[in-house]
Amino acid sequence: MSAPSTTPRAAATNSVWPQLEPLLPQVSKPIQYVGGELGAVTKDWDAAAVRWALMYPDAYEVGLPNQGVQILYEVLNELPDTLAERTYAVWPDLENLMRTHGVPQFTVDAHRAVRGFDVFGISFSTELGYTNMLTAIDLAGIPMLAADRTDADPVIVAGGHAAFNPEPIADFIDAAVLGDGEEAVLEITAIVREWKAEGSPGGRDELLLRLARTESVYVPRFYDVDYLPDGRIQRVVPNRADVPFRVHKRTTMDLDAWPYPKKPLVPLAETVHERYAVEIFRGCTRGCRFCQAGMITRPVRERSITTVGQMVRDGLEFSGFSEVGLLSLSSADHSEIGDMCSGLAQQYEGTNVSLSLPSTRVDAFNIDLAQELSRNGRRTGLTFAPEGGSERIRKVINKMVTKEDLIRTVVTAYTNGWRQVKLYFMCGLPTETDEDVLEIAEMAHEVIRAGRAATGSKDIRCTVSIGGFVPKPHTPFQWASMERPEVIDHRLKILKQAINSDRSLGRAIGYRYHDGEPSLIEGLLSRGDRRVGSVIRKVWEDGGRFDGWSEHFSYQRWVDAAAETLPAFGVDLDWYTTRQREELEVLPWDHLDSGLDKDWLWQDWQDSVSEFEQDDCRWTPCFDCGVCPSMDTEIQIGPTGKKLLPLTPLGGNGMKVPASGHSH
């Protein structure tokens, strides 16, 4: 696409809406490109000193509810001299029309061209969004390679969980932020503001250098990678004297000081989640060895029960949502979860507001919690994640749940009126055998049997959902080999046969799974280094878009691109995926510090292979993962001793509120 004739900054003040609007009747779901949602903000372009375009690199229906982007959007727009607008991935039908008619990648808020912003921030929760990033960069008229960009182009900053190993996209991004974004975006904004106020001295290079000097923004161009003859990395070193050897993650310690989103975006088009979501704590100490989120978000930081109550009240009043999601990696682990749920259930009794805990640990779920969650009569689905089918494999992954625990918990749900539970497992875990996977069928059968016995009813169901294991950076499994897709697919097939081997039980069990192919590609991207960038670009050039969507994903396209680009470097797809790493190998992300001690991770990997379980350090003495001392912090949990009620009465939307004095 040819670049606009006017300078990008000047052009961005103009809306592309007049060019875009005539195209919308020709595409599916045109409403996703319109903007103007409740909660959206449009600010005066000329009054802003710093301008951000924020992207979640997926379709609007997936991107709009994304909590991270919503929080940053609100935090930035609260600054008087800063504006932030949102952009999402456009579907291929609109992409083709935009190319034909010369319409650039635009924001949904004021339909401004993305290329005119100072900073283009992209939040990745999965690596499969990389090709969508390339589409957006190209449609924006921004040079694909960071090395080719000029002062006229925005600084492209990656964030989100996948940014903990940004090496596969190092050629395409200017910078990456590890960890929490709230304070990081304010720091970046201040640096950009000051640099612009000084007349942009030293150009783009100087701005990136100032970001790199913070030691918490990673700028790939300032680091060189040397390789050994066998393809492994020899070292990653700064190529300038004033750049740090290691870049550290950001951690927002006091969540009560950051009660966002206060004004949640209310979508116009249907989205994957329509609820007011409150993150009740960050971090996890359970130590599941496959779980990158649990490892990289340490330490645990809880929001207090009073802040949660206030956020729910204000968020519902603003948005009119009728569901409240209490989010975290393991919500039932909050030290005040019982009081929180009973307080909220009491607060909204007799209204249409329902509560949900999206992820519930088997051993933290109890009958009181179950009853509070269903007090308003609406029972949202219950999902439990044993992850592994056999006791042995659960020891390997450190998921400390027994079969008896699971059966007891699910029966509790059935006897309290739930008719449907979902059980989530993984396939392809380290040391896994066919037998480990077949035990999933046995567990599902027992769940149905026990449920029928306890309720005296045949009207109960359970869905078994299987995801493929992907080894992730900064976890004990970062050294593990992956299984080949045909092995995964064989195990999924024999599991299905085992579930259906008993017709009367099999009928009550739903079965959903992801085959092995997308997982292998996600594995290539999650543990790749800079050489993998050539694969991503080739896939994109060959039409790769929306790789996280099964109907758009093409395994063959990735295999072909890897076969075409990687041999030049002396490596191949298997080298990145099915190969086990050795202890002393330099991993592509070793210079990026998640706070975890690499020796501790290696020891935990050894413990895993010997099936040794590690306790939860929230309740037991510290076992030296490294996070607290390296970040000069400690786990922050309650209880605060406060109760949720009474809150001041709500206005406007007809929700009755208990008068003060009706507290517990």
Side-chain angles (χ1 to χ4, degrees), residues 373-426:
L373 288 175
S374 61
R375 188 170 326 176
N376 272 354
R378 287 234 317 264
R379 288 193 168 83
T380 50
L382 283 180
T383 301
F384 299 105
E387 310 287 1
S390 69
E391 196 88 27
R392 187 193 73 79
I393 204 81
R394 289 195 293 277
K395 284 183 173 160
V396 169
I397 63 179
N398 207 44
K399 190 86 186 188
M400 296 172 281
V401 174
T402 65
K403 191 188 213 166
E404 294 70 40
D405 284 339
L406 180 81
I407 305 291
R408 187 172 56 244
T409 301
V410 174
V411 167
T412 298
Y414 287 143
T415 49
N416 281 277
W418 268 272
R419 287 290 164 261
Q420 167 80 32
V421 297
K422 186 172 166 189
L423 303 177
Y424 183 81
F425 298 91
M426 284 166 121

Side-chain angles (χ1 to χ4, degrees), residues 586-600:
V586 175
L587 302 173
W589 51 89
D590 277 351
H591 56 300
L592 304 173
D593 182 11
S594 61
L596 295 158
D597 181 62
K598 193 177 177 186
D599 292 337
W600 176 80

Side-chain angles (χ1 to χ4, degrees), residues 7-258:
T7 65
R9 299 279 186 267
T13 58
N14 307 322
S15 166
V16 304
W17 183 250
Q19 294 84 41
L20 176 67
E21 191 181 16
L23 309 180
L24 295 183
Q26 304 170 56
V27 302
S28 65
K29 300 188 184 169
I31 192 151
Q32 64 188 312
Y33 307 117
V34 172
E37 305 93 342
L38 180 64
V41 178
T42 316
K43 294 174 83 167
D44 177 6
W45 181 266
D46 295 322
V50 182
R51 308 176 184 106
W52 283 75
L54 295 173
M55 180 179 200
Y56 188 82
D58 206 328
Y60 176 93
E61 62 200 77
V62 179
L64 181 123
N66 180 262
Q67 193 84 341
V69 171
Q70 287 208 28
I71 290 170
L72 300 184
Y73 177 71
E74 204 170 309
V75 165
L76 288 164
N77 278 320
E78 281 184 357
L79 297 173
D81 68 342
T82 303
L83 72 78
E85 298 190 11
R86 296 162 294 130
T87 186
Y88 303 103
V90 299
W91 283 113
D93 57 0
L94 183 59
E95 181 194 335
N96 295 333
L97 287 168
M98 287 165 68
R99 290 187 187 284
T100 305
H101 295 273
V103 177
Q105 180 80 23
F106 57 88
T107 61
V108 295
D109 295 296
H111 298 95
R112 291 168 171 144
V114 165
R115 192 179 174 207
F117 288 75
D118 299 307
V119 190
F120 183 14
I122 308 176
S123 178
F124 293 99
S125 41
T126 162
E127 297 83 1
L128 293 171
Y130 291 160
T131 46
N132 284 355
M133 170 186 73
L134 298 191
T135 304
I137 291 173
D138 189 55
L139 282 174
I142 299 168
M144 187 66 76
L145 295 175
D148 298 337
R149 291 178 198 142
T150 68
D151 294 1
D153 296 301
V155 169
I156 298 184
V157 182
H161 287 181
F164 274 81
N165 176 25
E167 291 299 277
I169 52 172
D171 292 343
F172 313 117
I173 61 172
D174 295 295
V177 172
L178 280 62
D180 296 334
E182 290 94 338
E183 291 158 300
V185 295
L186 296 183
E187 183 175 31
I188 291 169
T189 300
I191 290 168
V192 173
R193 179 193 293 123
E194 190 175 316
W195 173 76
K196 284 178 72 176
E198 291 168 11
S200 312
R204 187 181 193 85
D205 209 53
E206 168 67 21
L207 175 58
L208 290 171
L209 193 57
R210 291 185 185 188
L211 292 172
R213 283 194 198 121
T214 63
E215 299 192 8
S216 63
V217 178
Y218 173 54
V219 180
R221 72 163 66 181
F222 296 145
Y223 296 80
D224 292 334
V225 184
D226 300 328
Y227 300 96
L228 295 163
D230 65 2
R232 289 176 303 150
I233 293 172
Q234 183 176 9
R235 57 183 196 156
V236 180
V237 285
N239 52 33
R240 314 181 52 136
D242 44 0
V243 170
F245 267 85
R246 298 197 77 192
V247 179
H248 307 289
K249 78 165 179 182
R250 300 293 304 238
T251 302
T252 299
M253 285 311 298
D254 181 7
L255 292 189
D256 283 345
W258 300 87

Side-chain angles (χ1 to χ4, degrees), residues 243-498:
V243 170
F245 267 85
R246 298 197 77 192
V247 179
H248 307 289
K249 78 165 179 182
R250 300 293 304 238
T251 302
T252 299
M253 285 311 298
D254 181 7
L255 292 189
D256 283 345
W258 300 87
Y260 297 92
K262 301 171 186 168
K263 297 181 175 174
L265 289 157
V266 180
L268 295 172
E270 191 179 344
T271 57
V272 289
H273 295 301
E274 301 192 7
R275 62 184 181 203
Y276 178 56
V278 181
E279 190 182 19
I280 59 175
F281 70 87
R282 243 176 235 178
C284 185
T285 48
R286 292 278 186 166
C288 302
R289 293 175 172 126
F290 57 84
C291 180
Q292 185 189 42
M295 292 286 169
I296 62 178
T297 57
R298 294 177 176 207
V300 167
R301 292 145 285 149
E302 288 192 351
R303 270 207 169 99
S304 68
I305 187 168
T306 41
T307 301
V308 170
Q310 194 64 43
M311 286 176 71
V312 169
R313 196 196 76 126
D314 295 347
L316 289 180
E317 187 167 14
F318 177 82
S319 66
F321 282 131
S322 60
E323 184 184 332
V324 176
L326 302 177
L327 303 196
S328 77
L329 292 171
S330 182
S331 296
D333 281 348
H334 192 291
S335 62
E336 301 182 282
I337 189 67
D339 285 343
M340 193 181 287
C341 288
S342 60
L344 288 168
Q346 200 168 326
Q347 177 88 2
Y348 297 107
E349 194 160 11
T351 71
N352 65 343
V353 173
S354 64
L355 288 179
S356 65
L357 296 184
S359 61
T360 321
R361 279 193 56 105
V362 172
D363 49 351
F365 182 82
N366 61 44
I367 187 65
D368 300 339
L369 205 51
Q371 286 170 335
E372 298 301 357
L373 288 175
S374 61
R375 188 170 326 176
N376 272 354
R378 287 234 317 264
R379 288 193 168 83
T380 50
L382 283 180
T383 301
F384 299 105
E387 310 287 1
S390 69
E391 196 88 27
R392 187 193 73 79
I393 204 81
R394 289 195 293 277
K395 284 183 173 160
V396 169
I397 63 179
N398 207 44
K399 190 86 186 188
M400 296 172 281
V401 174
T402 65
K403 191 188 213 166
E404 294 70 40
D405 284 339
L406 180 81
I407 305 291
R408 187 172 56 244
T409 301
V410 174
V411 167
T412 298
Y414 287 143
T415 49
N416 281 277
W418 268 272
R419 287 290 164 261
Q420 167 80 32
V421 297
K422 186 172 166 189
L423 303 177
Y424 183 81
F425 298 91
M426 284 166 121
C427 187
L429 290 160
T431 78
E432 180 184 277
T433 63
D434 290 4
E435 286 64 39
D436 292 313
V437 175
L438 287 171
E439 284 202 39
I440 295 172
E442 207 176 300
M443 191 183 274
H445 285 166
E446 283 200 36
V447 159
I448 297 296
R449 269 194 218 103
R452 285 177 178 172
T455 59
S457 161
K458 286 208 161 183
D459 175 31
I460 54 167
R461 289 187 57 73
C462 125
T463 301
V464 169
S465 186
I466 315 271
F469 163 68
V470 180
K472 295 280 181 171
H474 309 282
T475 69
F477 287 165
Q478 63 184 3
W479 290 276
S481 59
M482 293 186 75
E483 285 288 13
R484 299 210 48 78
E486 50 272 25
V487 175
I488 303 288
D489 294 347
H490 159 73
R491 286 179 186 160
L492 293 170
K493 188 175 153 198
I494 60 171
L495 174 57
K496 185 175 188 178
Q497 289 166 349

